[in-house]
Amino acid sequence: MTPSVLFVCLGNICRSPLAEGIFRRMAAEQGVEVEIDSAGTGDWHLGHAPDHRAQAVADKNGLDISALRARLVTPEDFRRFDHIVAMDASNLANLEAMRPDDASATLARLLDFADGVDLIDVPDPYQGGPEGFDETFRLVEAGAKGLLDAIRERS
Ligand code: 4NP
């Protein structure tokens, strides 16, 4: 069966849409079939396109994430996806708190998969300047690369 991954952050307008876009492109480039989506644990931006700074850093890296729209994580996501991948410890704690008893998804943090990165969390870039988004892109790309390697090895 096609493996599936849901990327989760707080607002689903900065980090997880970048993760979705980066991972989708990487999987396509490597010819790996995988179902990919992203969602947030907070409801402030439901239905919104990614933050303009996230779109700008994506553009700068040849990636168009403008069509993505923010949505909330649902209990059904825990049965539908094989892997739910949080951007930071707080997202992971929120996911653990809402995890239904019959969940089948594994929960992990993106940077658990990143090689050569000292951080364990992708910092929330929302309150900072645009330069924070370059760092977000770099960290998410490192995590996505390791995650794709792990999925390829398992299937
Ligand atoms: P994200 O960033 O979790 O990477 O999408 C945030 C976006 C919005 C808010 C916080 C973080 N907010 O508080 O509205």
Side-chain angles (χ1 to χ4, degrees), residues 9-91:
C9 62
L10 181 56
N12 193 208
I13 56 167
C14 298
R15 291 165 292 176
S16 62
L18 280 169
E20 179 179 348
I22 289 169
F23 197 65
R24 199 178 287 288
R25 175 167 70 182
M26 219 175 250
E29 282 170 358
Q30 296 186 24
V32 179
E33 202 184 320
V34 50
E35 191 194 327
I36 304 159
D37 198 2
S38 65
T41 60
D43 63 3
W44 308 283
H45 302 281
L46 298 184
H48 293 188
D51 185 279
H52 64 95
R53 295 162 298 175
Q55 292 198 44
V57 78
D59 269 353
K60 202 161 86 176
N61 288 277
L63 200 57
D64 180 1
I65 59 168
S66 62
L68 301 181
R69 294 294 177 266
R71 75 165 177 90
L72 274 175
V73 182
T74 67
E76 181 57 27
D77 288 324
F78 289 82
R79 296 180 280 269
R80 181 176 150 215
F81 288 91
D82 298 320
H83 309 288
I84 300 184
V85 181
M87 296 299 126
D88 66 26
S90 162
N91 310 146

